[in-house]
Amino acid sequence: MSFLDALIDHINYIGAMALFVIGLHTVVTHSNLIKRIMGINIMGTAVFLFFVAIGNVTGGVPPIIDQTNPDAVYINPLPSVLILTGIVVVVSITVYSLSLVIRIYETHGTIDQEEIAKMTSEDRDQ
Amino acid sequence: MRKRLYLLLFVGLFLVLSYNIMQMPGKSTVDAPAYNDTTEHYLNESIEETGAINVVGAILADYRAFDTLGETIVLFTSIVAVASILKVADQKKKEDDHE
Amino acid sequence: MNDIIIKSITRLIIPFIQLYGVYIILHGHVSPGGGFAGGAMIGTSLVLYTLVFGIDKSKQKFSHRVSEYAESGGILLYVSLGLIGIVITGSFLTNIEAGFPIGNPGSVLSGGMIPLLMVGIGIKVASTFITLFHTLIEEEVV
């Protein structure tokens, strides 16, 4: 019973870990570069969820101070602010890698990692 | 076969991560270690010190405004990086066509 | 896309999206939102315009010159507001100590320089969205 209680208390963290593993699985097992970028995005989302879950307070309200109600319990605003920075970084990384994928497609004619590796090794053998 | 091996590996990784994450303080209350003096200061003093009732906005644009400046520079840098990859090759292609 | 329904609906809905984005930016210090969320909304409305009416028409509305000025203008607004703090108090990006009026907390005109900084961030984010999108789709993949 105590295990189930602990599970319910940590359900946000466990969800974040599940998202992270799904993203890592996508990155490792797919050779399509676009799918890999999607996997990196899912991993980033997992980190955001983990960080925001740390700042959660059960029964708390968003940190917009209500001066008529001084007893209100607010959630922790600091992780939310830090994650706002993280979102911008993930957007930048995504755009940069997408532009690299466009360039790779123009050079090799494919965006499949294994085919590209095969082509480059053939070039080296010649 | 290989797919199943990968699946097994990642399920194992998930179990290890979950076991470790269970050691974290679970109950989301104001007594959690993350809810420390910094947070209390932001929540109690932000109206006097910044005049904004949205504490997230106050931290973003006043307490940690320098951080946000770095963030906008990250956006700027991403544009420069993307343009340096895509635009330069475009110009090269045009020059090749002229020759 | 040459569908009359999509074109009419888009023409109708874009002003409201942009108005809502401006509202989110200007109320960044009294309600959830702020420069990043509102700027993303305005940028997304321009992306929608590009998707529906094509890159050529979108270039007429939001050319490279405009995006250059918007990019640099957003950061310049931010840094110059910080420099006001340096001139008056000696430290970068000070708010109340530098003499910005604190206003009545809870009203739109409050928070010193926070709304102005949010406007700078919003311009920057919106122009970044649309510039990156134009740069990516301009590429003619063979």
Side-chain angles (χ1 to χ4, degrees):
Chain A
M1 203 59 204
S2 65
F3 173 73
L4 281 182
D5 284 343
L7 202 68
I8 289 170
D9 282 343
H10 292 81
I11 195 72
N12 290 330
Y13 301 142
I14 291 174
M17 289 307 120
L19 264 182
F20 188 85
V21 172
I22 289 169
L24 194 64
H25 183 265
T26 314
V27 171
V28 172
T29 56
H30 287 83
S31 60
N32 189 326
L33 289 174
I34 301 274
K35 285 182 184 170
R36 287 191 168 185
I37 295 172
M38 286 180 185
I40 292 173
N41 267 301
I42 295 173
M43 284 162 78
T45 314
V47 176
F48 301 159
L49 173 59
F50 178 65
F51 225 92
V52 173
I54 290 174
N56 184 31
V57 173
T58 310
V61 295
I64 292 161
I65 291 175
D66 186 2
Q67 286 165 309
T68 58
N69 180 13
D71 296 330
V73 176
Y74 301 106
I75 65 158
N76 195 344
L78 205 46
S80 314
V81 176
L82 297 180
I83 282 314
L84 215 53
T85 314
I87 291 173
V88 169
V89 173
V90 165
V91 167
S92 306
I93 290 175
T94 308
V95 167
Y96 183 59
S97 29
L98 282 177
S99 67
L100 280 177
V101 167
I102 291 176
R103 187 57 59 221
I104 285 172
Y105 184 79
E106 282 189 355
T107 315
H108 296 281
T110 176
I111 54 170
D112 194 286
Q113 174 75 55
E114 288 172 11
E115 285 180 28
I116 293 168
K118 214 182 283 173
M119 284 160 81
T120 44
S121 65
E122 279 170 9
D123 285 350
R124 208 176 294 142
D125 290 343
Q126 281 166 7
Chain B
M1 186 59 209
R2 205 170 147 201
K3 270 187 183 174
R4 289 217 176 133
L5 207 67
Y6 272 129
L7 206 63
L8 207 69
L9 193 73
F10 283 105
V11 169
L13 179 66
F14 171 66
L15 288 179
V16 170
L17 284 174
S18 301
Y19 176 74
N20 280 305
I21 218 75
M22 295 292 249
Q23 316 295 323
M24 282 189 67
K27 288 260 190 293
S28 306
T29 60
V30 290
D31 299 325
Y35 209 89
N36 53 16
D37 294 345
T38 320
T39 305
E40 305 263 344
H41 179 89
Y42 286 153
L43 286 175
N44 293 329
E45 315 285 334
S46 77
I47 287 189
E48 275 177 35
E49 287 180 357
T50 68
I53 61 168
N54 182 2
V55 184
V56 173
I59 298 174
L60 191 75
D62 189 331
Y63 290 111
R64 300 187 178 214
F66 203 66
D67 194 5
T68 310
L69 176 63
E71 217 169 321
T72 49
I73 291 173
V74 166
L75 282 174
F76 202 82
T77 316
S78 78
I79 290 181
V80 173
V82 169
S84 71
I85 288 181
L86 294 180
K87 296 279 177 189
V88 170
D90 275 2
Q91 282 177 0
K92 216 179 192 178
K93 209 186 289 167
K94 269 176 202 162
E95 282 167 12
D96 289 349
D97 288 346
H98 282 305
E99 283 167 7
Chain C
M1 276 184 265
N2 280 320
D3 196 338
I4 183 117
I5 297 175
I6 293 177
K7 281 189 176 176
S8 323
I9 296 288
T10 307
R11 211 174 277 132
L12 201 68
I13 211 169
I14 278 181
F16 292 101
I17 299 176
Q18 290 182 341
L19 190 68
Y20 190 58
V22 171
Y23 164 79
I24 291 281
I25 290 176
L26 291 182
H27 286 69
H29 54 299
V30 291
S31 69
F36 288 101
M41 273 177 205
I42 297 176
T44 316
S45 76
L46 293 168
V47 169
L48 175 66
Y49 186 88
T50 314
L51 283 175
V52 172
F53 293 99
I55 180 90
D56 295 330
K57 260 191 152 179
S58 181
K59 279 271 164 173
Q60 288 171 7
K61 297 262 181 197
F62 201 86
S63 62
H64 269 305
R65 178 170 290 274
V66 177
S67 77
E68 270 173 27
Y69 282 122
E71 299 282 345
S72 321
I75 282 193
L76 268 181
L77 178 62
Y78 202 103
V79 175
S80 54
L81 280 166
L83 289 179
I84 291 175
I86 277 200
V87 171
I88 294 176
T89 65
S91 35
F92 192 54
L93 282 167
T94 43
N95 187 1
I96 301 297
E97 291 86 352
F100 287 102
I102 191 168
N104 181 23
S107 63
V108 178
L109 291 174
S110 67
M113 68 171 179
I114 292 177
L116 298 171
L117 287 186
M118 289 288 187
V119 169
I121 298 169
I123 293 171
K124 176 77 190 137
V125 172
S127 64
T128 304
F129 254 70
I130 190 63
T131 312
L132 286 175
F133 188 70
H134 278 176
T135 317
L136 281 182
I137 69 165
E138 261 176 1
E139 197 67 13
E140 286 177 12
V141 178
V142 192

